[in-house]
Protein backbone atom coordinates (compact mmCIF):
# COMPACT_ATOMS: atom_id res chain seq x y z
CA UNK A 1 0.00 0.00 0.00
CA UNK A 2 1.35 3.44 -0.93
CA UNK A 3 1.48 5.59 2.19
CA UNK A 4 1.20 9.39 2.13
CA UNK A 5 4.30 11.45 2.98
CA UNK A 6 2.69 12.28 6.30
CA UNK A 7 2.23 8.60 7.23
CA UNK A 8 5.79 7.79 6.13
CA UNK A 9 7.02 10.56 8.43
CA UNK A 10 4.94 9.25 11.32
CA UNK A 11 6.46 5.79 10.88
CA UNK A 12 9.99 7.22 10.78
CA UNK A 13 9.45 9.37 13.86
CA UNK A 14 7.82 6.61 15.94
CA UNK A 15 10.38 4.02 14.85
CA UNK A 16 13.27 6.25 15.87
CA UNK A 17 11.62 6.90 19.23
CA UNK A 18 10.83 3.19 19.71
CA UNK A 19 14.39 2.10 18.92
CA UNK A 20 15.96 4.79 21.11
CA UNK A 21 13.60 4.90 24.09
CA UNK A 22 11.30 1.88 24.18
CA UNK A 23 13.47 -1.03 23.07
CA UNK A 24 16.24 -0.47 25.65
CA UNK A 25 13.82 -1.03 28.56
CA UNK A 26 11.56 -3.66 26.97
CA UNK A 27 13.28 -6.69 28.45
CA UNK A 28 13.63 -5.10 31.87
CA UNK A 29 9.95 -4.13 32.24
CA UNK A 30 8.99 -7.62 31.08
CA UNK A 31 11.12 -9.14 33.82
CA UNK A 32 10.28 -6.75 36.65
CA UNK A 33 6.64 -6.07 35.63
CA UNK A 34 7.39 -2.43 36.27
CA UNK A 35 5.15 0.06 34.50
CA UNK A 36 7.15 2.17 32.00
CA UNK A 37 6.18 5.57 33.41
CA UNK A 38 9.15 7.41 31.90
CA UNK A 39 8.42 6.09 28.41
CA UNK A 40 4.72 6.87 28.66
CA UNK A 41 5.50 10.41 29.80
CA UNK A 42 7.76 10.93 26.78
CA UNK A 43 5.09 9.44 24.50
CA UNK A 44 2.66 12.03 25.84
CA UNK A 45 5.13 14.83 25.10
CA UNK A 46 5.48 13.52 21.53
CA UNK A 47 1.66 13.47 21.20
CA UNK A 48 1.65 9.68 20.81
CA UNK A 49 -1.00 9.05 23.46
CA UNK A 50 -3.91 10.64 21.59
CA UNK A 51 -2.82 10.48 17.98
CA UNK A 52 -6.26 10.37 16.30
CA UNK A 53 -7.90 13.16 18.34
CA UNK A 54 -8.05 16.87 17.43
CA UNK A 55 -5.26 19.09 18.69
CA UNK A 56 -7.73 21.45 20.38
CA UNK A 57 -8.77 18.53 22.60
CA UNK A 58 -5.15 17.69 23.46
CA UNK A 59 -4.67 15.06 20.76
CA UNK A 60 -2.14 14.63 17.99
CA UNK A 61 -4.49 15.86 15.26
CA UNK A 62 -3.88 12.78 13.12
CA UNK A 63 -6.04 10.02 11.70
CA UNK A 64 -6.66 6.36 12.47
CA UNK A 65 -4.04 5.11 10.00
CA UNK A 66 -1.34 7.29 11.60
CA UNK A 67 -2.34 5.96 15.02
CA UNK A 68 -2.31 2.38 13.70
CA UNK A 69 1.23 2.86 12.40
CA UNK A 70 2.17 4.31 15.79
CA UNK A 71 0.88 1.27 17.72
CA UNK A 72 2.54 -1.05 15.19
CA UNK A 73 5.95 0.62 15.55
CA UNK A 74 5.88 0.70 19.35
CA UNK A 75 4.72 -2.94 19.52
CA UNK A 76 7.46 -3.98 17.08
CA UNK A 77 9.92 -3.48 19.94
CA UNK A 78 7.72 -3.68 23.07
CA UNK A 79 4.14 -4.98 23.14
CA UNK A 80 3.73 -4.00 26.82
CA UNK A 81 4.13 -0.36 25.82
CA UNK A 82 2.06 -0.93 22.68
CA UNK A 83 -0.94 -2.29 24.59
CA UNK A 84 -0.69 0.52 27.16
CA UNK A 85 -0.92 3.08 24.34
CA UNK A 86 -3.65 1.16 22.49
CA UNK A 87 -5.92 0.58 25.50
CA UNK A 88 -5.49 4.18 26.63
CA UNK A 89 -6.32 5.65 23.21
CA UNK A 90 -8.89 3.29 21.67
CA UNK A 91 -10.68 2.17 24.81
CA UNK A 92 -10.13 4.90 27.40
CA UNK A 93 -10.21 8.09 25.31
CA UNK A 94 -12.27 7.09 22.26
CA UNK A 95 -15.73 6.53 23.84
CA UNK A 96 -15.57 10.00 25.46
CA UNK A 97 -14.63 11.49 22.09
CA UNK A 98 -17.33 9.41 20.36
CA UNK A 99 -20.39 10.04 22.54
CA UNK A 100 -19.32 12.47 25.26
CA UNK A 101 -21.18 15.76 25.66
CA UNK A 102 -19.27 18.94 24.87
CA UNK A 103 -18.76 19.47 28.64
CA UNK A 104 -17.45 15.92 29.11
CA UNK A 105 -15.08 16.25 26.17
CA UNK A 106 -13.72 19.56 27.43
CA UNK A 107 -13.42 18.29 30.98
CA UNK A 108 -11.66 14.98 30.29
CA UNK A 109 -10.05 14.82 26.85
CA UNK A 110 -7.34 17.51 27.12
CA UNK A 111 -5.71 15.66 30.04
CA UNK A 112 -5.96 12.15 28.61
CA UNK A 113 -5.54 12.77 24.85
CA UNK A 114 -2.34 14.66 25.67
CA UNK A 115 -1.10 11.74 27.77
CA UNK A 116 -0.82 13.85 30.95
CA UNK A 117 -3.16 11.32 32.53
CA UNK A 118 -3.84 7.73 31.54
CA UNK A 119 -7.27 6.37 30.67
CA UNK A 120 -8.78 2.89 30.93
CA UNK A 121 -11.91 1.02 29.91
CA UNK A 122 -13.78 -1.19 32.36
CA UNK A 123 -15.88 -3.75 30.52
CA UNK A 124 -14.78 -7.31 31.35
CA UNK A 125 -16.02 -8.97 34.54
CA UNK A 126 -15.41 -12.35 36.15
CA UNK A 127 -18.67 -13.64 34.59
CA UNK A 128 -18.83 -11.38 31.53
CA UNK A 129 -15.97 -12.01 29.11
CA UNK A 130 -16.98 -13.05 25.58
CA UNK A 131 -20.59 -12.54 26.68
CA UNK A 132 -19.88 -8.92 27.46
CA UNK A 133 -23.61 -8.14 27.70
CA UNK A 134 -23.86 -10.29 30.86
CA UNK A 135 -22.37 -7.52 33.00
CA UNK A 136 -23.23 -7.83 36.69
CA UNK A 137 -21.92 -4.44 37.83
CA UNK A 138 -24.98 -2.33 38.67
CA UNK A 139 -25.66 1.40 38.65
CA UNK A 140 -28.79 2.51 40.52
CA UNK A 141 -30.13 6.04 40.25
CA UNK A 142 -30.30 7.91 43.55
CA UNK A 143 -31.31 11.56 43.13
CA UNK A 144 -28.70 13.33 41.06
CA UNK A 145 -26.23 10.45 41.44
CA UNK A 146 -25.89 6.81 40.45
CA UNK A 147 -24.60 4.24 42.93
CA UNK A 148 -22.27 1.67 41.35
CA UNK A 149 -21.48 -1.77 42.78
CA UNK A 150 -19.45 -4.57 41.22
CA UNK A 151 -16.03 -5.71 40.05
CA UNK A 152 -14.26 -5.45 36.70
CA UNK A 153 -11.27 -7.63 35.87
CA UNK A 154 -8.34 -7.87 33.42
CA UNK A 155 -8.47 -4.10 32.89
CA UNK A 156 -5.45 -2.55 31.15
CA UNK A 157 -4.14 0.53 33.03
CA UNK A 158 -6.35 -0.34 36.06
CA UNK A 159 -4.06 1.13 38.70
CA UNK A 160 -2.19 3.66 36.55
CA UNK A 161 -5.16 5.41 34.89
CA UNK A 162 -6.94 8.44 36.33
CA UNK A 163 -9.95 8.50 33.99
CA UNK A 164 -12.11 5.45 33.35
CA UNK A 165 -15.03 4.55 31.12
CA UNK A 166 -17.01 1.81 32.82
CA UNK A 167 -20.03 -0.21 31.74
CA UNK A 168 -22.81 -1.04 34.17
CA UNK A 169 -26.29 -2.54 34.22
CA UNK A 170 -28.92 0.12 34.88
CA UNK A 171 -31.91 -2.09 33.94
CA UNK A 172 -31.33 -5.85 34.20
CA UNK A 173 -34.70 -6.72 32.59
CA UNK A 174 -33.62 -5.12 29.34
CA UNK A 175 -30.34 -7.10 29.18
CA UNK A 176 -28.04 -5.50 26.59
CA UNK A 177 -30.45 -2.55 26.23
CA UNK A 178 -30.15 -1.95 29.96
CA UNK A 179 -26.40 -1.30 29.91
CA UNK A 180 -25.08 2.23 30.52
CA UNK A 181 -21.59 3.69 30.49
CA UNK A 182 -20.10 6.13 33.00
CA UNK A 183 -16.96 8.23 33.28
CA UNK A 184 -15.18 7.56 36.56
CA UNK A 185 -12.28 9.40 38.14
CA UNK A 186 -9.51 7.97 40.26
CA UNK A 187 -10.20 8.64 43.93
CA UNK A 188 -13.99 8.80 43.72
CA UNK A 189 -15.27 7.43 47.06
CA UNK A 190 -16.13 3.73 46.77
CA UNK A 191 -13.95 3.19 43.69
CA UNK A 192 -10.50 1.62 43.84
CA UNK A 193 -8.20 -0.61 41.83
CA UNK A 194 -8.00 -4.21 43.09
CA UNK A 195 -5.55 -7.04 42.55
CA UNK A 196 -2.80 -6.49 39.97
CA UNK A 197 -2.35 -9.51 37.69
CA UNK A 198 0.85 -11.48 37.13
CA UNK A 199 0.73 -12.43 33.45
CA UNK A 200 2.25 -14.69 30.79
CA UNK A 201 3.00 -11.78 28.45
CA UNK A 202 2.80 -7.98 28.12
CA UNK A 203 4.18 -8.07 31.64
CA UNK A 204 5.24 -4.44 31.66
CA UNK A 205 1.64 -3.35 31.16
CA UNK A 206 -0.67 -2.75 34.09
CA UNK A 207 -3.58 -5.20 34.26
CA UNK A 208 -5.91 -5.46 37.21
CA UNK A 209 -9.31 -5.22 38.83
CA UNK A 210 -11.58 -2.24 39.40
CA UNK A 211 -13.74 -2.45 42.51
CA UNK A 212 -16.92 -0.46 43.13
CA UNK A 213 -18.49 -0.44 46.59
CA UNK A 214 -21.42 1.97 46.79
CA UNK A 215 -19.51 4.32 44.53
CA UNK A 216 -21.57 7.50 44.05
CA UNK A 217 -21.12 9.00 40.62
CA UNK A 218 -22.79 12.30 39.57
CA UNK A 219 -25.52 11.69 36.97
CA UNK A 220 -23.68 14.09 34.65
CA UNK A 221 -20.97 11.41 34.33
CA UNK A 222 -23.35 9.15 32.39
CA UNK A 223 -21.64 8.67 29.01
CA UNK A 224 -24.18 8.57 26.19
CA UNK A 225 -27.82 7.85 26.94
CA UNK A 226 -28.97 5.48 29.66
CA UNK A 227 -29.40 2.02 28.11
CA UNK A 228 -27.11 2.71 25.17
CA UNK A 229 -23.89 1.55 26.82
CA UNK A 230 -23.83 -1.77 24.93
CA UNK A 231 -23.74 -0.11 21.55
CA UNK A 232 -21.18 2.44 22.79
CA UNK A 233 -18.83 -0.31 23.84
CA UNK A 234 -19.34 -2.45 20.74
CA UNK A 235 -18.43 0.55 18.60
CA UNK A 236 -15.47 1.20 20.88
CA UNK A 237 -14.39 -2.42 20.46
CA UNK A 238 -14.56 -2.09 16.64
CA UNK A 239 -11.84 0.57 16.91
CA UNK A 240 -10.06 -1.34 19.66
CA UNK A 241 -9.82 -4.36 17.40
CA UNK A 242 -7.99 -2.28 14.80
CA UNK A 243 -5.44 -1.31 17.42
CA UNK A 244 -4.98 -4.89 18.66
CA UNK A 245 -4.53 -5.82 14.99
CA UNK A 246 -1.84 -3.12 14.79
CA UNK A 247 -0.21 -4.40 17.95
CA UNK A 248 -0.19 -7.96 16.57
CA UNK A 249 1.20 -6.68 13.28
CA UNK A 250 4.02 -4.94 15.15
CA UNK A 251 4.88 -8.07 17.15
CA UNK A 252 4.89 -10.19 13.96
CA UNK A 253 7.09 -7.66 12.14
CA UNK A 254 9.48 -7.60 15.11
CA UNK A 255 9.67 -11.41 15.03
CA UNK A 256 10.33 -11.37 11.28
CA UNK A 257 13.04 -8.69 11.52
CA UNK A 258 14.79 -10.58 14.32
CA UNK A 259 14.59 -13.83 12.32
CA UNK A 260 16.03 -12.33 9.12
CA UNK A 261 18.92 -10.84 11.10
CA UNK A 262 19.65 -13.97 13.12
CA UNK A 263 19.41 -16.35 10.16
CA UNK A 264 22.07 -14.35 8.30
CA UNK A 265 24.40 -14.35 11.32
CA UNK A 266 23.98 -17.92 12.53
CA UNK A 267 26.27 -20.47 10.90
CA UNK A 268 25.67 -24.22 10.91
CA UNK A 269 27.00 -26.92 8.57
CA UNK A 270 29.51 -24.33 7.36
CA UNK A 271 26.95 -21.83 6.06
CA UNK A 272 24.52 -19.14 7.26
CA UNK A 273 21.25 -20.85 8.11
CA UNK A 274 19.53 -18.29 5.84
CA UNK A 275 20.95 -20.26 2.91
CA UNK A 276 18.83 -23.30 3.85
CA UNK A 277 15.50 -23.86 2.15
CA UNK A 278 13.79 -24.84 5.42
CA UNK A 279 14.61 -21.45 6.95
CA UNK A 280 13.78 -19.54 3.76
CA UNK A 281 10.39 -21.26 3.72
CA UNK A 282 9.58 -20.00 7.18
CA UNK A 283 10.81 -16.48 6.42
CA UNK A 284 8.72 -16.37 3.23
CA UNK A 285 5.57 -17.51 5.06
CA UNK A 286 6.13 -14.99 7.84
CA UNK A 287 6.77 -12.09 5.46
CA UNK A 288 3.72 -12.88 3.31
CA UNK A 289 1.36 -13.14 6.27
CA UNK A 290 2.78 -10.01 7.90
CA UNK A 291 2.16 -8.08 4.69
CA UNK A 292 -1.38 -9.45 4.34
CA UNK A 293 -2.08 -8.45 7.97
CA UNK A 294 -0.76 -4.97 7.25
CA UNK A 295 -3.09 -4.54 4.29
CA UNK A 296 -6.12 -5.62 6.34
CA UNK A 297 -5.21 -3.42 9.33
CA UNK A 298 -4.39 -0.33 7.24
CA UNK A 299 -7.43 -0.76 4.99
CA UNK A 300 -9.88 -0.87 7.91
CA UNK A 301 -8.10 2.14 9.46
CA UNK A 302 -8.84 4.14 6.31
CA UNK A 303 -12.42 2.84 6.23
CA UNK A 304 -12.95 3.96 9.84
CA UNK A 305 -11.89 7.50 8.94
CA UNK A 306 -14.30 7.46 6.00
CA UNK A 307 -17.05 6.71 8.53
CA UNK A 308 -17.91 3.33 7.02
CA UNK A 309 -19.43 0.34 8.81
CA UNK A 310 -16.31 -1.59 9.87
CA UNK A 311 -17.65 -4.34 12.15
CA UNK A 312 -16.66 -7.20 9.82
CA UNK A 313 -13.45 -5.60 8.55
CA UNK A 314 -12.16 -4.75 12.05
CA UNK A 315 -12.85 -8.31 13.20
CA UNK A 316 -11.11 -9.75 10.12
CA UNK A 317 -8.04 -7.53 10.56
CA UNK A 318 -7.77 -8.40 14.24
CA UNK A 319 -8.36 -12.10 13.61
CA UNK A 320 -5.80 -12.40 10.83
CA UNK A 321 -3.10 -10.20 12.36
CA UNK A 322 -3.32 -11.86 15.77
CA UNK A 323 -3.16 -15.38 14.35
CA UNK A 324 -0.23 -14.21 12.22
CA UNK A 325 1.53 -12.91 15.34
CA UNK A 326 1.09 -16.34 16.94
CA UNK A 327 2.53 -18.14 13.91
CA UNK A 328 5.32 -15.65 13.23
CA UNK A 329 6.59 -15.68 16.82
CA UNK A 330 6.47 -19.51 16.89
CA UNK A 331 8.53 -19.65 13.70
CA UNK A 332 10.91 -16.97 14.99
CA UNK A 333 11.76 -19.15 18.00
CA UNK A 334 12.17 -22.15 15.70
CA UNK A 335 14.62 -20.22 13.52
CA UNK A 336 16.57 -19.10 16.60
CA UNK A 337 16.62 -22.69 17.91
CA UNK A 338 17.84 -23.08 21.50
CA UNK A 339 18.81 -19.40 21.67
CA UNK A 340 15.24 -18.40 20.88
CA UNK A 341 14.07 -20.24 23.98
CA UNK A 342 16.28 -18.08 26.18
CA UNK A 343 15.34 -14.72 27.63
CA UNK A 344 18.38 -12.98 26.13
CA UNK A 345 16.66 -13.01 22.75
CA UNK A 346 13.63 -10.79 22.11
CA UNK A 347 11.72 -13.52 20.29
CA UNK A 348 11.10 -15.36 23.59
CA UNK A 349 9.20 -12.28 24.82
CA UNK A 350 7.46 -11.73 21.48
CA UNK A 351 6.12 -15.31 21.64
CA UNK A 352 4.55 -14.74 25.06
CA UNK A 353 3.32 -11.23 24.16
CA UNK A 354 1.57 -12.45 20.99
CA UNK A 355 -0.85 -14.64 22.95
CA UNK A 356 -2.92 -11.78 24.35
CA UNK A 357 -3.74 -10.60 20.82
CA UNK A 358 -5.83 -13.73 20.12
CA UNK A 359 -7.74 -13.20 23.39
CA UNK A 360 -8.06 -9.49 24.23
CA UNK A 361 -10.83 -7.34 22.74
CA UNK A 362 -12.61 -10.47 21.63
CA UNK A 363 -11.11 -13.93 21.20
CA UNK A 364 -10.42 -15.44 17.79
CA UNK A 365 -13.69 -17.37 18.22
CA UNK A 366 -15.65 -14.15 18.89
CA UNK A 367 -14.08 -12.47 15.82
CA UNK A 368 -15.30 -15.40 13.68
CA UNK A 369 -18.76 -15.12 15.22
CA UNK A 370 -18.84 -11.38 14.46
CA UNK A 371 -17.64 -11.94 10.86
CA UNK A 372 -20.19 -14.73 10.24
CA UNK A 373 -23.05 -12.64 11.70
CA UNK A 374 -22.14 -9.76 9.41
CA UNK A 375 -22.02 -12.07 6.38
CA UNK A 376 -25.39 -13.58 7.19
CA UNK A 377 -27.33 -10.53 8.40
N1 LIG B 1 -21.55 -1.58 16.84
C1 LIG B 1 -22.74 -1.05 17.21
N2 LIG B 1 -23.81 -1.83 17.53
C2 LIG B 1 -23.66 -3.17 17.47
C3 LIG B 1 -22.44 -3.78 17.09
C4 LIG B 1 -21.36 -2.92 16.78
N3 LIG B 1 -20.17 -3.42 16.44
N4 LIG B 1 -22.59 -5.11 17.12
C5 LIG B 1 -23.85 -5.34 17.52
N5 LIG B 1 -24.50 -4.17 17.73
C6 LIG B 1 -25.88 -3.99 18.18
C7 LIG B 1 -26.81 -4.97 17.50
O1 LIG B 1 -27.26 -4.45 16.26
C8 LIG B 1 -27.92 -5.09 18.50
O2 LIG B 1 -28.77 -3.96 18.39
P1 LIG B 1 -30.35 -4.03 18.75
O3 LIG B 1 -30.40 -4.32 20.23
O4 LIG B 1 -30.85 -2.67 18.39
O5 LIG B 1 -30.91 -5.14 17.93
C9 LIG B 1 -27.21 -4.99 19.85
O6 LIG B 1 -25.97 -4.31 19.57
C10 LIG B 1 -26.96 -6.34 20.48
O7 LIG B 1 -26.18 -7.11 19.60
P2 LIG B 1 -26.12 -8.69 19.63
O8 LIG B 1 -27.52 -9.24 19.72
O9 LIG B 1 -25.25 -9.14 18.52
O10 LIG B 1 -25.40 -8.97 21.06
P3 LIG B 1 -24.87 -10.33 21.69
O11 LIG B 1 -25.04 -10.21 23.15
O12 LIG B 1 -25.47 -11.50 20.99
O13 LIG B 1 -23.30 -10.41 21.41
C11 LIG B 1 -21.05 -9.96 20.77
C12 LIG B 1 -22.50 -9.53 20.79
C13 LIG B 1 -20.79 -11.42 21.01
C14 LIG B 1 -20.55 -9.60 19.42
C15 LIG B 1 -20.38 -9.10 21.86
O14 LIG B 1 -20.82 -9.50 23.15
C16 LIG B 1 -18.87 -9.15 21.83
O15 LIG B 1 -18.24 -8.47 21.01
N6 LIG B 1 -18.28 -9.93 22.74
C17 LIG B 1 -16.85 -9.93 22.91
C18 LIG B 1 -16.52 -8.93 23.94
C19 LIG B 1 -15.10 -8.64 23.96
O16 LIG B 1 -14.51 -8.31 22.94
N7 LIG B 1 -14.54 -8.70 25.17
C20 LIG B 1 -13.20 -8.38 25.37
C21 LIG B 1 -13.12 -7.03 25.99
S1 LIG B 1 -11.52 -6.47 26.04
S2 LIG B 1 -11.85 -4.59 26.35
Amino acid sequence: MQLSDEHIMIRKMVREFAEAEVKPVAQEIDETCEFPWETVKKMGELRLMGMPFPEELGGGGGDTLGYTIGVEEISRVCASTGITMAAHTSLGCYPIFDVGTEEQKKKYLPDIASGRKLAAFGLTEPNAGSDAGATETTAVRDGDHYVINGTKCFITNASTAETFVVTTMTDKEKRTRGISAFILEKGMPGFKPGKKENKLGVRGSDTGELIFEDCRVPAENLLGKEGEGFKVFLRTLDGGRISIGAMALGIAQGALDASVKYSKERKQFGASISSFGAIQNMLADMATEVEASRLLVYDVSLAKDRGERIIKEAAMAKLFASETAMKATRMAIQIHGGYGYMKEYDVERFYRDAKITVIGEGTTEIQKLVIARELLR
Side-chain angles (χ1 to χ4, degrees):
M1 184 185 286
Q2 181 61 45
L3 292 180
S4 68
D5 288 349
E6 193 196 329
H7 290 124
I8 291 170
M9 260 181 50
I10 290 174
R11 183 188 301 289
K12 184 170 177 294
M13 186 272 278
V14 183
R15 181 167 294 198
E16 280 169 10
F17 171 76
E19 290 286 338
E21 306 279 352
V22 185
K23 192 175 176 174
V25 292
Q27 194 187 357
E28 185 188 329
I29 64 168
D30 175 67
E31 263 174 41
T32 60
C33 297
E34 216 162 279
F35 189 77
W37 276 116
E38 271 303 302
T39 316
V40 170
K41 188 168 166 275
K42 286 179 195 158
M43 288 169 71
E45 286 159 7
L46 285 173
R47 287 281 188 259
L48 295 181
M49 296 303 282
M51 293 179 79
F53 307 115
E55 285 178 44
E56 58 272 23
L57 288 171
D63 58 7
T64 305
L65 180 56
Y67 161 62
T68 294
I69 292 170
V71 174
E72 175 193 345
E73 288 299 328
I74 298 290
S75 306
R76 182 177 154 275
V77 299
C78 179
S80 289
T81 310
I83 200 170
T84 302
M85 169 187 181
H88 163 84
T89 308
S90 296
L91 303 182
C93 301
Y94 179 77
I96 301 179
F97 177 68
D98 185 27
V99 292
T101 60
E102 281 312 306
E103 290 75 41
Q104 288 171 337
K105 286 186 200 179
K106 281 194 195 126
K107 181 170 179 191
Y108 293 104
L109 282 174
D111 274 339
I112 54 177
S114 65
R116 281 194 294 274
K117 291 181 180 175
L118 275 179
F121 183 60
L123 169 67
T124 302
E125 297 184 8
N127 296 317
S130 292
D131 185 7
T135 181
E136 290 170 351
T137 295
T138 55
V140 178
R141 180 100 195 200
D142 181 21
D144 55 2
H145 281 70
Y146 283 84
V147 181
I148 302 184
N149 277 291
T151 302
K152 301 284 175 181
C153 64
F154 309 151
I155 307 305
T156 305
N157 300 338
S159 62
T160 45
E162 295 184 57
T163 303
F164 301 78
V165 173
V166 169
T167 57
T168 65
M169 191 61 92
T170 40
D171 189 343
K172 205 171 177 356
E173 299 295 299
K174 294 189 183 156
R175 216 182 109 78
T176 56
R177 290 183 184 181
I179 293 177
S180 306
F182 289 89
I183 305 173
L184 274 281
E185 291 168 34
K186 182 184 175 180
M188 280 179 160
F191 169 43
K192 59 172 191 229
K195 175 175 64 115
K196 191 176 166 184
E197 302 293 348
N198 184 6
K199 313 186 292 285
L200 170 74
V202 290
R203 292 169 58 78
S205 72
D206 162 34
T207 311
E209 289 176 329
L210 301 177
I211 297 170
F212 305 92
E213 287 165 341
D214 290 331
C215 171
R216 289 178 69 79
V217 183
E220 69 209 32
N221 281 36
L222 180 67
L223 180 63
K225 295 200 179 77
E226 191 175 301
E228 290 190 357
F230 192 68
K231 288 188 185 171
V232 169
F233 85 65
L234 284 177
R235 247 198 337 265
T236 301
L237 284 181
D238 288 335
R241 285 167 187 164
I242 299 177
S243 67
I244 296 299
M247 177 186 157
L249 169 61
I251 297 172
Q253 182 69 57
L256 173 61
D257 293 347
S259 301
V260 168
K261 182 170 179 284
Y262 182 83
S263 68
K264 288 202 273 191
E265 289 165 2
R266 174 73 171 163
K267 293 211 166 38
Q268 288 292 277
F269 304 104
S272 298
I273 62 169
S274 61
S275 64
F276 303 146
I279 302 293
Q280 290 178 3
N281 244 307
M282 284 194 268
L283 292 176
D285 281 349
M286 287 162 85
T288 306
E289 288 174 23
V290 165
E291 203 48 45
S293 301
R294 179 168 290 115
L295 291 175
L296 284 172
V297 173
Y298 287 11
D299 193 53
V300 66
S301 303
L302 293 170
K304 182 170 193 299
D305 285 335
R306 289 194 300 267
E308 291 172 15
R309 184 182 174 96
I310 54 158
I311 298 175
K312 179 172 95 242
E313 290 73 14
M316 284 176 163
K318 196 265 190 193
L319 168 69
F320 194 82
S322 60
E323 292 294 339
T324 294
M326 290 295 289
K327 276 200 249 171
T329 53
R330 179 169 58 77
M331 287 191 211
I333 294 203
Q334 201 63 20
I335 290 170
H336 283 69
Y339 290 104
Y341 200 70
M342 304 300 152
K343 289 201 179 284
E344 284 81 35
Y345 280 81
D346 288 341
V347 291
E348 184 271 346
R349 172 166 48 85
F350 293 167
Y351 181 74
R352 288 182 287 104
D353 287 350
K355 187 62 193 173
I356 192 56
T357 67
V358 292
I359 297 174
E361 299 198 34
T363 58
T364 282
E365 293 69 30
I366 287 292
Q367 305 312 320
K368 290 183 183 175
L369 176 148
V370 169
I371 295 164
R373 279 190 187 179
E374 283 292 294
L375 288 173
L376 300 169
R377 84 190 171 96

